[in-house]
Amino acid sequence: MRGKIGKLINLLFLFFMMELSVSAQVDKRHELVVGLGVITSNDVIDMSSDLFETIFTLGGVTYDDIYTFPALNLGYKYPLTEEWFSLFEVSYQNIEKDMYQHSEYVSNVKGYFLSVGAGVSYLYVSNDWLQIYSGLSIAYTFIWDVLSNEEMRSENDKRYLMNIQFNAIGIRAGKRLGVFFELGMGYKGIANLGASYQL
């Protein structure tokens, strides 16, 4: 048993050293990213869920005064080659609305969406001041609703699902500290704007 554990530790150490070696040979830097995204897949999921509930209850349950906050997106890019990067991302979003039953207000609902994902990014253009790239990430999204009406709360207010983010194009301007704008679709939004710092 000790021999197997020792081999596993040696294998992990070798893999870690190879990753450091590859990263050291790549001219690109690690990158920390923070941004805000709008019109996310979470918006679509929440709207679809509300519509289904309204149809299922024959209009008995409806929602109004819906307010969607932008998604807060945090990320880390790790260079694999000159063009390819691995991505590790966390995205958080909040949606608030009022619930009505048969046109009578019954509760305020706060929906929370937390997505944890990983993916890859490909760099098309790179110079001292400009980078153009695309990317794809897959995430696990945790969803939970908090109702102001305590009598209506239940364990069913927690859900989980697989989510995706496809960035058709991203443009970053700046050297070590830069700003970026991304267009795509998914849990980070159709449009994502922010800043990044290359280590």
Side-chain angles (χ1 to χ4, degrees):
M1 188 68 166
R2 287 183 181 177
K4 289 182 180 179
I5 293 174
K7 287 180 182 178
L8 180 60
I9 291 172
N10 287 337
L11 186 63
L12 290 172
F13 179 75
L14 180 62
F15 177 76
F16 180 72
M17 294 305 291
M18 287 174 57
E19 285 288 323
L20 286 178
S21 175
V22 169
S23 180
Q25 293 172 13
V26 175
D27 191 31
K28 303 301 173 193
R29 300 185 182 103
H30 301 246
E31 189 173 347
L32 298 175
V33 180
V34 60
L36 291 175
V38 294
I39 312 176
T40 69
S41 57
N42 299 326
D43 297 331
V44 176
I45 291 166
D46 190 70
M47 188 185 311
S48 301
S49 177
D50 292 351
L51 182 61
F52 177 78
E53 187 172 8
T54 299
I55 292 170
F56 185 74
T57 60
L58 301 176
V61 175
T62 56
Y63 294 90
D64 200 1
D65 298 324
I66 300 169
Y67 186 77
T68 300
F69 293 84
L72 172 63
N73 304 310
L74 305 175
Y76 170 68
K77 290 185 178 181
Y78 181 88
L80 299 173
T81 68
E82 289 289 327
E83 295 86 15
W84 287 97
F85 290 78
S86 58
L87 308 174
F88 301 96
E89 301 173 326
V90 175
S91 179
Y92 172 81
Q93 187 177 10
N94 177 228
I95 298 175
E96 288 190 31
K97 57 198 171 185
D98 291 332
M99 176 191 284
Y100 293 83
Q101 287 185 346
H102 305 291
S103 301
E104 288 190 16
Y105 173 83
V106 292
S107 182
N108 175 261
V109 181
K110 293 182 179 179
Y112 301 94
F113 298 78
L114 179 65
S115 301
V116 179
V120 292
S121 178
Y122 182 78
L123 192 61
Y124 297 104
V125 175
S126 178
N127 59 42
D128 287 344
W129 284 94
L130 180 69
Q131 295 174 350
I132 300 175
Y133 57 91
S134 293
L136 178 68
S137 300
I138 296 175
Y140 198 64
T141 299
F142 303 85
I143 307 169
W144 64 99
D145 296 324
V146 178
L147 281 69
S148 60
N149 186 336
E150 294 185 10
E151 295 178 0
M152 299 182 67
R153 294 180 187 174
S154 72
E155 291 299 319
N156 295 330
D157 295 335
K158 297 181 178 71
R159 307 183 301 283
Y160 315 93
L161 57 85
M162 296 302 294
N163 217 328
I164 193 169
Q165 175 69 36
F166 169 65
N167 285 330
I169 186 167
I171 300 172
R172 182 188 187 275
K175 287 196 171 182
R176 196 168 276 255
L177 180 63
V179 294
F180 68 87
F181 178 71
E182 297 174 346
L183 287 175
M185 62 178 65
Y187 58 87
K188 293 198 303 182
I190 286 178
N192 184 27
L193 175 69
S196 70
Y197 183 77
Q198 294 181 340
L199 304 174

